[in-house]
Amino acid sequence: LRSVEIEMCIIERQQAFPKQGGSSIFKLGMGYGQILACLAAAKVPHKIVSPRKWKNACNVPTDKDGARRMAIQLYPNAVHDLKLKKHEHRAEALLMASYGEALG
């Protein structure tokens, strides 16, 4: 994190869901906490936003493949990294970066 200049890091707020298993919830919380701790230790400025907030601000379609399709339209050079439906999380990362850029 210290090897590059980072103006702002956008982190999606995490939460457990009612029928999610205890082990999954623990792993999610550990990973989320580790990311936040690394950012704090490296003094990287960051904002935590809810999925609803950034997706609404970016007008991300609500269907499962919507973020991937939208990211391909906005970033045509990334089409090879987004060619499969399972690449939706990569697409969301690109769209969150766009959201962060728009914040200034």
Side-chain angles (χ1 to χ4, degrees), residues 75-103:
Y75 301 98
N77 292 338
V79 70
H80 297 297
D81 295 316
L82 302 172
K83 61 185 173 187
L84 302 175
K85 286 190 178 188
K86 70 179 183 179
H87 294 154
E88 66 180 290
H89 300 293
R90 293 177 185 179
E92 286 189 351
L94 280 171
L95 297 176
M96 283 178 64
S98 291
Y99 171 78
E101 261 188 342
L103 291 177

Side-chain angles (χ1 to χ4, degrees), residues 5 64 72 102:
E5 184 179 334
K64 186 129 175 102
I72 288 171

Side-chain angles (χ1 to χ4, degrees), residues 20-86:
Q20 199 170 0
S23 178
S24 294
I25 293 170
F26 182 79
K27 288 177 187 177
L28 176 71
M30 284 293 293
Y32 186 57
Q34 288 170 342
I35 290 168
L36 293 176
C38 287
L39 292 172
K43 298 180 180 171
V44 173
H46 61 279
K47 290 186 180 183
I48 300 170
V49 296
S50 71
R52 176 176 282 158
K53 182 174 183 173
W54 78 261
K55 287 179 181 183
N56 284 345
C58 294
N59 296 313
V60 178
T62 56
D63 64 294
K64 186 129 175 102
D65 197 41
R68 192 182 67 84
R69 288 192 322 269
M70 185 176 193
I72 288 171
Q73 285 180 330
L74 293 173
Y75 301 98
N77 292 338
V79 70
H80 297 297
D81 295 316
L82 302 172
K83 61 185 173 187
L84 302 175
K85 286 190 178 188
K86 70 179 183 179

